[in-house]
Amino acid sequence: MRDPDASRLPSSPGFWRSPLRGPWFTSVLGLVLLVGITVLFVTGLVSYAAYNPGLSPVNDKTPDKGILGFYLFAWPTNPPWLYRLNQGVHVTFGITLIPVLLAKLWSVVPRLFALPPARSLAHALERISLLLLVGGALFEFVTGVLNVQLDYVFPGSFYPLHFYGAWVFFAAFAAHALLKTPTALRNLRHLRHLREDTNDLVSPRPAEPTVSRRGALWFVGGGSLLLFATTVGRSFDGLLRRTALLAPHGGGDPGSGPNGFQINKTAAYAGIDAAETCEDAWRLVVTGRTGTVRLRRDELLRLPLYSAALPIACVEGWSTSDQWWRGVRLRDLAALVGYDDPPDVFVESLQRSGAFRKAALRANQVADSRSLLALYVNGEELSPDHGHPARVIVPAAPGVLNTKWVARMTFGDL
C-alpha cells in the first residue's frame, strides 16, 4: 500500500524525511553564518563609507538613509590598498558562503511550513522575523551576485537596493542570532547527550541515510572551497587571475603591454568619441577661488609630473596590482586656482550618462601627494579605455571615483 505520509502536505512532519536534518547539523551551519554574515555586513558598510556619500549628492546613492548613515567617516588614503582588501573580502566571502546559506535554509525548511502559523504573539513575531531573514538573505545574495556578474536585471539602482536590503536583513539576522545562538552552542557542547529525535527538525519516519551529517558538511564545505578557488583570483594578477573562472574580470588580463590590465568600462561603452579627446579638441577646465584655467594636454605636461604606484579596485570585488601612474598632482591643480590648502574637488567626465560620470573627492584625498591627474601609466600614454587623455587616480578610493576622460575639475568646499 502507498505510504500515507508521502501524500501529506509540507506542513506535516512526515513530509520531510531526510535523516540529515537535526539540531547539530543546523547549529554548525548557523554558527558559520553567524561569523560570515557579520563580516559581510561590516565590510559592506565600510565599502559604502569609501564613497564619501556625505561629501556631495553625486556620491550619495542613498540620500534618504537618515540615521543609517550614523557611522560615516572621511575615507582615508592610507593604506592605499584598503578598498582593494575590503571589497575583495566582501565579495569573495559572500560568494564562498552561498553553499552554507543554501544548506542552512534546506536544513530548516520544515519550520517554514509548520502549522499553525502563529501559536502566540511571540511565535508570530518570530515567524515574521524568519520571513524577513530568509527573504532578506536571498535578496542580498542574489543582488550581490548579479552585481558581481555585471547582470543588472534587478529593478532600480543596485546601491539603494543592496544598502537598505542589508539593514533589513541584518536586523532580522541579529534578532534571530540573539534567540538561537545560545541553543546552537548548547547543541554543539552537549553533542553526546543530545537527543535529536525530540527536535522538530527531525523526521518521525526518516528515510535510509545515503550520507552522514559530517559527510554532508564536507560536501557543503567542498562547494564553498570550489567557489572560493574560482573567485578569489580576480583580486590578483598573473596566474591567480586565470583561476577566477566564475568572475567577469577573471581569466587573465584583456591585453598586453603597459595598458594591458583590467578595465571597468571601455571608451566605446561610455560613448567617448575620439574626436573630442584629440590634442586639438580636448581641454581640461579647472575652476576655483581665483577663476578658471583651461589647459591643453601639452600644457599639463609642462607642469611638474609625479609618479605613484596604485591599484584599481572596484565594487564588484575585482582589482589590479599596483600600476605606475604619472601625471600632475591634484593639489598642484588646486594651487593653480588659488588654493594653498587643497579643498574638495568636483570632477566631471566627458562621459555623458551613467553612474559616477561625475564624482567628488574630499580635501584629504586631494592633498595626498599620490593623488594624480594621470597622463601616463606604466611608462606609456593612457589608452582610450583607461581614460586618455587624462584620468584621476587616488589611493584607496573605489574605482568609480577614479574618473576617466576628465573634462572639468571644480575646487572648493562641497
Side-chain angles (χ1 to χ4, degrees), residues 238-261:
L239 292 177
L240 273 177
R241 188 177 294 279
R242 296 184 181 277
T243 66
L245 304 176
L246 300 182
H249 289 275
D253 285 325
S256 60
N259 278 275
F261 55 95

Side-chain angles (χ1 to χ4, degrees), residues 331-353:
R331 69 187 192 187
D332 290 344
L333 291 173
L336 287 179
V337 287
Y339 292 98
D340 295 327
D341 295 323
D344 306 331
V345 64
F346 178 58
V347 185
E348 299 174 71
S349 172
L350 289 173
Q351 182 181 347
R352 292 176 179 81
S353 62

Side-chain angles (χ1 to χ4, degrees), residues 9-287:
L9 295 173
S11 57
S12 169
F15 182 88
W16 308 98
R17 300 194 61 202
S18 173
L20 296 180
R21 289 191 179 91
W24 180 82
F25 186 70
T26 298
S27 296
V28 172
L29 296 172
L31 291 175
V32 172
L33 287 175
L34 176 64
V35 176
I37 288 176
T38 301
V39 171
L40 290 182
F41 185 67
V42 172
T43 53
L45 294 185
V46 171
S47 176
Y48 179 68
Y51 285 77
N52 280 325
L55 175 63
S56 175
V58 297
N59 287 16
D60 191 1
K61 301 302 179 182
T62 56
D64 300 319
K65 61 187 174 296
I67 195 173
L68 298 182
F70 69 93
Y71 70 95
L72 294 175
F73 54 95
W75 187 248
T77 56
N78 280 308
W81 40 260
L82 179 59
Y83 189 76
R84 182 185 185 190
L85 173 65
N86 181 85
Q87 207 59 18
V89 169
H90 182 73
V91 172
T92 303
F93 214 48
I95 292 175
T96 302
L97 283 176
I98 289 175
V100 183
L101 175 69
L102 294 178
K104 168 69 171 177
L105 294 178
W106 174 86
S107 74
V108 298
V109 70
R111 288 179 176 165
L112 299 179
F113 292 92
L115 295 177
R119 295 189 294 268
S120 64
L121 177 60
H123 185 246
L125 292 175
E126 182 183 356
R127 295 298 295 274
I128 292 172
S129 72
L130 278 178
L131 288 176
L132 293 175
L133 181 67
V134 173
L138 293 175
F139 180 83
E140 285 299 289
F141 275 81
V142 168
T143 55
V145 169
L146 288 174
N147 184 68
V148 166
Q149 294 296 325
L150 309 179
D151 292 326
Y152 304 113
V153 297
F154 35 77
S157 170
F158 167 76
Y159 297 97
L161 288 173
H162 206 63
F163 178 79
Y164 293 124
W167 277 105
V168 172
F169 165 57
F170 195 77
F173 176 78
H176 186 75
L178 287 174
L179 290 171
K180 299 299 183 181
T181 299
T183 302
L185 292 173
R186 187 165 55 250
N187 288 342
L188 297 181
R189 191 180 302 118
H190 303 296
L191 175 62
R192 292 182 180 178
H193 308 289
L194 185 66
R195 289 194 60 195
E196 293 217 335
D197 59 346
T198 62
N199 188 273
D200 62 344
L201 292 177
V202 179
S203 174
R205 298 183 61 189
E208 287 295 319
T210 56
V211 65
S212 68
R213 287 181 176 132
R214 283 185 172 82
L217 285 179
W218 278 109
F219 180 75
V220 173
S224 290
L225 183 61
L226 179 63
L227 288 178
F228 176 83
T230 53
T231 301
V232 69
R234 63 147 113 226
S235 296
F236 303 91
D237 288 332
L239 292 177
L240 273 177
R241 188 177 294 279
R242 296 184 181 277
T243 66
L245 304 176
L246 300 182
H249 289 275
D253 285 325
S256 60
N259 278 275
F261 55 95
Q262 296 296 313
I263 300 163
N264 58 351
K265 53 189 172 187
T266 65
Y269 175 86
I272 303 301
D273 188 343
E276 59 186 340
T277 60
C278 68
E279 191 75 25
D280 293 335
W282 182 80
R283 299 291 184 272
L284 173 69
V285 180
V286 184
T287 300

